[in-house]
Amino acid sequence: MRTVLMVAEKPSLAQSIARILSRGNMSSRKGLNGACSVHEYTGSFMGQSAHFKMTSVCGHVMTLDFIGKYNSWDKVDPAELFSKAPTEKKEANPKLTMVKFLQVLDAVLPVMNKPPSTERTIFRAKFSSITDTDICNAMNHLGEPNRNEALSVDARQELDLRIGCAFTRFQTKYFQGKYGNLDSSLISFGPCQTPTLGFCVERHDKIQSFKPETYWVLKAKVNPEKESSLTLDWDRVRVFDREIAQMFLNITKMAKEAKVESVSKKEKVKQRPLALNTVEMLRVASSALGMGPQHAMQIAERLYTQGYISYPRTETTHYPENFDLKGCLRQQANHPYWAETVKALLSEGINRPRKGHDAGDHPPITPMKAATEEELGGDGWRLYEYITRHFIATVSADCKYLQTNISFSIGPERFTCVGKVVTSPGFTEIMPWHSIALEESLPCCEKGDLFPVGEIKLLEMQTSPPDYLTEAELITLMEKHGIGTDASIPVHINNICQRNYVTVESGRRLKPTNLGIVLVHGYYKIDAELVLPTIRSAVEKQLNLIALGKANYHQVLEHTLDIFKRKFHYFVDSIAGMDELMEVSFSPLAATGKPLSRCGKCHRFMKYIQAKPSRLHCSHCDDTYSLPQNGTIKLYKELRCPLDDFELVLWSSGSRGKSYPLCPYCYNHPPFRDMKKGMGCNECTHPTCQHSLSMLGIGQCVECENGVLVLDSTSGPKWKMACNKCNVIVHFFENAHKVRVSPETCELCDAALVDVDFNKAKSPLPGDETQHAGCVFCDPVFQDLVELKHAAMRHPMHRGGQGKRQGRGRGKGRRPGGRPTPKKPKDKMAALAAYFV
């Protein structure tokens, strides 16, 4: 019996598909990586009996990156990233061991049983919804993976990596080395991200440059009956000259009656909406539901994997001829909110949806099964409700209404009033927010009728500037200019928010920050094509041609990189132009921040710059030192590093989180070969420094394989030890007077012993004893005094239900500083590890 391996993109999807194909008769087990399950069942594949193994990946399996040495910002010229720097595909999340768990395509082929040369072994199943019909139909019409589409994705990845990293590294280092209040940890550039920001700044510039103009409008009211009035609109709309406006007012005031010049009635149609695609869904989610694009996309994906809607990433607004519209509609026939409308459509006959655009990807977004507000709740329900109402509207009738226009003359001037009466509400019954706005009821009249003029007045008004772009308007502009895809548009918008280039104001309007404005103005000053959508739009067209097999992958890649490489060199040579704008908006490093700790070189105070990225700057030496982010920094007891005489600082993630001291110089310039940039004292291998790993390390981490639990000597009286690699924190010996790490080690597990001095009044020791030395993990006296109370975050290596794992020591079982690397104590470690399960 042959074995068939099937892989879905998410664990929940794998479970749903396996349940459908096995008709519920399957066995399930956890995979070796603990994150993905394997569902097994027996069935038929291409006319033969087969044993199926259904599993999944968790997001992207591989990602593109530069090889190791080219990831150093300090040692690599960004210009080398365009051609010299080799790239490689790496595991997107190594801690999931996804490649080991599931070797995909090229890596799987070598270990597969070799079939006859004419027989295919790799298939792709295409479906757009998690329904029995769609899944079974996909299995009966398997195709091959499209190599051209894969090459198009590879080209886009490599272009974005090389171009984005080169510009980002250069401008980040250049500007963060000069200014202290940029308030952004990364001054990023992206071929799609930057034009997206450009749209926002362009609108900002229009607002700033706008000069209001005064204009005048004539407003007239007539009285068809004694107690009723009708407001008329001036056919000239407005005039910008006050004297002329006053003249028109004087002329019309001379007339006492308004004469009906014409009455016209015309039946008009408001068309039902096109079928729903991703971009329109994101627009409505932002403008009507108040959801950001990325948040809306996450909710839509969840609704899809749960089987409530069809695949939410599609550019298509046209249903294929064989799409079961009635079947989808019947699913909603008993829904309490729209059952009546749906039943009427099914009995009277549905209308064929309007002909839209067929992009050849997936059908429009469609509800696949009924759901209630209680079932989905919150934003999930709100998005599902909109998708369902939109679908019902596409198969409903158009809205029809009768529009009446009455034209009046008051003296020589013409005025008009318009009235609308709905004759058939059509789709607006299910989408009431699209209903025809109610107008004033118009009197029955004919040409030549006269009505007394009730009032004529001249209104003085001013033109108003445009408002900041909404997310919905930005999405429209991105789609129009070909910036990003339906899948990446939310990512680009989210990026400019995360980088502090724009802020989201009320009404989900995007207001550029000073940084965003200066960057865009700088690009315009140096090379406008870096921010205009034209060049990226042209690149996207080439990438689409690769996917269609009409353009050569290597030629497109080489040509595009050559263009941007030339632009990069010109940008570097002309950076002074952007710097002039930066100088006006931001403060130099020397004028930013507050004095905190002393420099080891000049012994003057360095300033702590709290704005992102937080760092220390010595204005005398003109040196800047990076610090750990997303925490607080304070001076550490005025103690100094024995290697360079810099005062130590203490980083803390919060009152109950991790904290550790660090030397600003060592953190940026590792003093030992086995250290890397960004390591604090809790990872320092100095053999005698009282703050180093060598002196404070206790035992190997219960969660990760490479971490060591290090005593936090500042944590008393609520003492704790924390892993120097992951986020595990172990609390112990609460209210102890002093805790010290002994040079001796445990005979059972090789962990360092600890000496604990307890306060006499609160000592847990027998009798009058207040001191005890022993192993945190093995000593029975300490058994009840060690408790895993808190972990700031669940460590990503956690594997539910696996229990203890064996760790590996550093180099022949020795800890830095000469102590043996401790083994993981079996019983206590298993108990602590089980706390996470």
Side-chain angles (χ1 to χ4, degrees):
M1 182 183 295
R2 64 165 57 179
T3 298
V4 178
L5 171 66
M6 299 198 298
V7 186
E9 62 176 322
K10 294 180 181 178
S12 57
L13 209 55
Q15 184 179 23
S16 298
I17 294 170
R19 186 180 291 118
I20 290 171
L21 294 176
S22 68
R23 295 181 175 84
N25 187 23
M26 64 181 185
S27 63
S28 301
R29 58 182 170 83
K30 277 286 184 184
L32 63 88
N33 69 353
C36 302
S37 295
V38 180
H39 311 283
E40 300 185 55
Y41 60 95
T42 303
S44 175
F45 184 76
M46 294 188 171
Q48 299 181 32
S49 295
H51 180 70
F52 290 86
K53 292 183 178 181
M54 179 82 210
T55 188
S56 72
V57 293
C58 288
H60 291 291
V61 179
M62 309 299 287
T63 187
L64 191 70
D65 201 358
F66 298 110
I67 64 170
K69 71 174 185 177
Y70 287 95
N71 282 316
S72 171
W73 285 39
D74 298 322
K75 297 178 182 178
V76 176
D77 181 351
E80 295 182 29
L81 302 181
F82 283 97
S83 54
K84 290 184 180 179
T87 60
E88 63 178 346
K89 288 193 175 182
K90 300 178 181 178
E91 286 192 66
N93 191 345
K95 292 174 181 176
L96 285 176
T97 61
M98 190 60 67
V99 172
K100 183 179 178 182
F101 167 64
L102 176 68
Q103 305 274 315
V104 178
L105 291 181
D106 291 343
V108 152
L109 285 171
V111 297
M112 292 177 65
N113 295 326
K114 302 297 182 185
S117 58
T118 57
E119 188 176 340
R120 291 180 296 167
T121 57
I122 305 290
F123 300 92
R124 183 179 178 187
K126 290 187 178 182
F127 50 88
S128 299
S129 63
I130 315 302
T131 61
D132 294 20
T133 303
D134 252 30
I135 297 300
C136 293
N137 187 56
M139 287 297 291
N140 292 328
H141 298 87
L142 295 173
E144 294 185 52
N146 189 317
R147 179 165 178 78
N148 290 328
E149 289 178 354
L151 286 174
S152 177
V153 172
D154 287 347
R156 182 180 284 106
Q157 265 193 324
E158 186 164 348
L159 288 174
D160 289 349
L161 175 70
R162 292 186 182 277
I163 298 167
C165 285
F167 278 90
T168 296
R169 290 187 189 183
F170 171 73
Q171 63 187 28
T172 298
K173 290 185 67 178
Y174 187 88
F175 291 120
Q176 284 186 353
K178 293 191 69 174
Y179 303 102
N181 57 341
L182 297 174
D183 201 23
S184 181
S185 55
L186 201 67
I187 314 299
S188 64
F189 174 94
C192 287
Q193 171 194 300
T194 304
T196 301
L197 174 62
F199 291 130
C200 300
V201 175
E202 181 184 20
R203 175 61 64 88
H204 168 83
D205 291 342
K206 288 180 179 178
I207 294 170
Q208 295 301 307
S209 62
F210 183 84
K211 294 181 180 179
E213 289 185 82
T214 304
Y215 64 91
W216 289 265
V217 176
L218 275 183
K219 281 290 182 182
K221 285 186 178 180
V222 297
N223 302 117
E225 297 175 4
K226 287 185 179 180
E227 296 182 358
S228 66
S229 65
L230 190 64
T231 302
L232 309 182
D233 294 320
W234 193 20
D235 283 10
R236 293 183 190 273
V237 183
R238 60 187 179 181
V239 294
F240 288 88
D241 189 303
R242 181 181 177 82
E243 291 183 2
I244 293 176
Q246 187 66 45
M247 178 194 72
F248 285 129
L249 176 64
N250 295 337
I251 292 172
T252 53
K253 273 192 170 182
M254 295 172 64
K256 302 300 180 185
E257 292 181 318
K259 180 181 179 181
V260 177
E261 297 292 339
S262 66
V263 179
S264 65
K265 295 186 178 184
K266 186 176 182 181
E267 188 176 78
K268 292 199 169 186
V269 173
K270 185 173 185 177
Q271 286 189 310
R272 59 193 180 276
L274 286 168
L276 187 64
N277 66 2
T278 305
V279 169
E280 180 62 17
M281 179 189 73
L282 296 177
R283 270 197 290 253
V284 173
S286 176
S287 61
L289 305 180
M291 299 182 198
Q294 193 162 39
H295 177 57
M297 203 68 237
Q298 290 169 349
I299 293 172
E301 286 173 350
R302 188 173 74 241
L303 292 173
Y304 161 66
T305 56
Q306 293 172 341
Y308 290 107
I309 65 172
S310 61
Y311 192 62
R313 297 186 188 273
T314 177
E315 298 177 9
T316 294
T317 58
H318 178 73
Y319 282 107
E321 295 298 322
N322 60 350
F323 193 90
D324 187 8
L325 294 167
K326 286 187 177 179
C328 292
L329 198 58
R330 288 191 193 99
Q331 294 280 346
Q332 308 295 333
N334 296 313
H335 198 283
Y337 286 9
W338 42 73
E340 188 177 332
T341 303
V342 169
K343 286 176 180 176
L345 283 171
L346 289 171
S347 63
E348 296 168 10
I350 65 171
N351 289 275
R352 187 72 196 167
R354 290 167 56 197
K355 186 173 177 61
H357 169 67
D358 185 0
D361 48 1
H362 290 271
I365 303 169
T366 308
M368 302 312 297
K369 66 179 181 182
T372 62
E373 188 170 359
E374 293 73 21
E375 195 175 339
L376 298 179
D379 288 346
W381 162 252
R382 293 168 65 223
L383 188 61
Y384 172 84
E385 181 186 16
Y386 170 72
I387 291 169
T388 305
R389 287 183 181 274
H390 190 109
F391 167 69
I392 298 171
T394 63
V395 295
S396 298
D398 292 336
C399 173
K400 295 178 182 179
Y401 60 96
L402 185 66
Q403 179 170 303
T404 303
N405 287 45
I406 305 177
S407 178
F408 291 88
S409 63
I410 303 177
E413 290 303 294
R414 289 292 185 97
F415 294 82
T416 305
C417 64
V418 178
K420 296 174 183 176
V421 177
V422 175
T423 56
S424 175
F427 77 94
T428 61
E429 282 189 330
I430 195 69
M431 298 178 86
W433 57 92
H434 283 304
S435 297
I436 300 299
L438 294 175
E439 306 282 349
E440 290 185 86
S441 59
L442 300 184
C444 294
C445 58
E446 295 178 354
K447 182 178 179 180
D449 288 351
L450 298 174
F451 296 109
V453 176
E455 179 186 34
I456 295 180
K457 59 183 177 180
L458 187 65
L459 301 179
E460 182 178 306
M461 307 178 80
Q462 279 194 329
T463 56
S464 58
D467 211 335
Y468 286 103
L469 283 179
T470 63
E471 285 173 331
E473 291 168 337
L474 179 57
I475 290 168
T476 300
L477 286 170
M478 294 174 73
E479 182 190 33
K480 177 183 175 182
H481 293 281
I483 301 299
T485 63
D486 55 352
S488 66
I489 282 175
V491 177
H492 301 315
I493 296 176
N494 186 63
N495 280 344
I496 63 174
C497 296
Q498 294 293 318
R499 299 285 184 262
N500 194 34
Y501 294 163
V502 300
T503 57
V504 182
E505 306 289 313
S506 62
R508 301 210 66 84
R509 294 189 178 275
L510 301 171
K511 183 178 181 180
T513 62
N514 278 345
L515 180 58
I517 294 165
V518 170
L519 282 174
V520 170
H521 289 174
Y523 294 135
Y524 272 116
K525 192 173 183 179
I526 297 172
D527 181 357
E529 284 190 338
L530 292 175
V531 71
L532 289 172
T534 48
I535 192 166
R536 181 60 189 194
S537 180
V539 171
E540 284 290 345
K541 288 176 182 176
Q542 292 299 310
L543 294 173
N544 290 335
L545 289 176
I546 294 175
L548 296 171
K550 296 180 180 179
N552 182 274
Y553 162 80
H554 295 287
Q555 290 176 353
V556 171
L557 200 61
E558 185 178 340
H559 178 65
T560 306
L561 287 174
D562 182 62
I563 291 173
F564 275 95
K565 184 178 181 180
R566 294 170 188 269
K567 288 183 174 295
F568 176 77
H569 284 296
Y570 183 74
F571 179 75
V572 171
D573 293 341
S574 310
I575 194 65
M578 182 181 282
D579 197 24
E580 290 173 359
L581 302 176
M582 286 282 187
E583 285 178 346
V584 177
S585 299
F586 301 102
S587 304
L589 278 173
T592 312
K594 296 180 180 180
L596 179 69
S597 64
R598 291 185 183 273
C599 170
K601 297 177 181 179
C602 66
H603 297 100
R604 289 178 169 86
F605 275 105
M606 298 187 292
K607 286 188 173 181
Y608 171 46
I609 300 165
Q610 199 167 358
K612 291 181 181 179
S614 58
R615 54 209 189 275
L616 286 168
H617 177 70
C618 177
S619 56
H620 184 266
C621 302
D622 196 22
D623 287 333
T624 303
Y625 301 97
S626 300
L627 294 172
Q629 304 298 304
N630 303 318
T632 58
I633 293 284
K634 62 183 180 180
L635 189 63
Y636 185 55
K637 304 178 183 178
E638 297 186 357
L639 297 173
R640 296 176 182 267
C641 175
L643 293 173
D644 48 49
D645 212 29
F646 274 70
E647 282 189 331
L648 303 183
V649 295
L650 183 73
W651 177 86
S652 174
S653 64
S655 59
R656 291 184 57 80
K658 288 176 65 172
S659 62
Y660 57 83
L662 62 104
C663 165
Y665 189 84
C666 295
Y667 187 83
N668 290 269
H669 307 282
F672 304 113
R673 288 184 179 179
D674 55 354
M675 290 182 65
K676 296 178 180 178
K677 185 176 179 179
M679 287 185 170
C681 295
N682 62 347
E683 294 184 81
C684 178
T685 54
H686 192 293
T688 60
C689 176
Q690 60 178 317
H691 313 293
S692 70
L693 169 66
S694 306
M695 301 301 289
L696 297 178
I698 294 176
Q700 280 198 300
C701 179
V702 298
E703 272 292 289
C704 65
E705 296 194 357
N706 299 318
V708 175
L709 293 169
V710 181
L711 173 66
D712 183 346
S713 58
T714 68
S715 59
K718 295 185 177 181
W719 297 94
K720 61 189 175 186
M721 56 181 176
C723 177
N724 60 5
K725 296 291 186 184
C726 71
N727 293 292
V728 166
I729 298 174
V730 178
H731 289 248
F732 53 13
F733 313 131
E734 187 168 350
N735 296 317
H737 175 65
K738 189 177 291 185
V739 178
R740 298 176 298 275
V741 181
S742 167
E744 299 177 15
T745 57
C746 175
E747 294 181 357
L748 295 176
C749 70
D750 285 341
L753 303 184
V754 292
D755 297 322
V756 186
D757 293 350
F758 293 98
N759 292 316
K760 188 172 183 178
K762 297 182 179 181
S763 175
L765 302 177
D768 294 330
E769 291 184 39
T770 57
Q771 294 183 337
H772 186 77
C775 176
V776 169
F777 308 107
C778 305
D779 193 319
V781 175
F782 288 159
Q783 192 74 31
D784 296 327
L785 305 179
V786 180
E787 184 179 359
L788 186 64
K789 288 185 178 179
H790 172 70
M793 293 182 293
R794 286 176 69 91
H795 185 256
M797 278 292 293
H798 170 57
R799 307 285 179 260
Q802 279 192 304
K804 64 185 179 183
R805 289 197 306 273
Q806 294 300 316
R808 291 194 297 272
R810 300 183 184 213
K812 297 184 179 179
R814 304 297 294 179
R815 293 169 61 202
R819 290 179 181 160
T821 301
K823 300 172 185 175
K824 290 196 176 181
K826 295 182 180 179
D827 298 333
K828 190 66 178 182
M829 286 294 122
L832 288 174
Y835 180 90
F836 286 94
V837 176

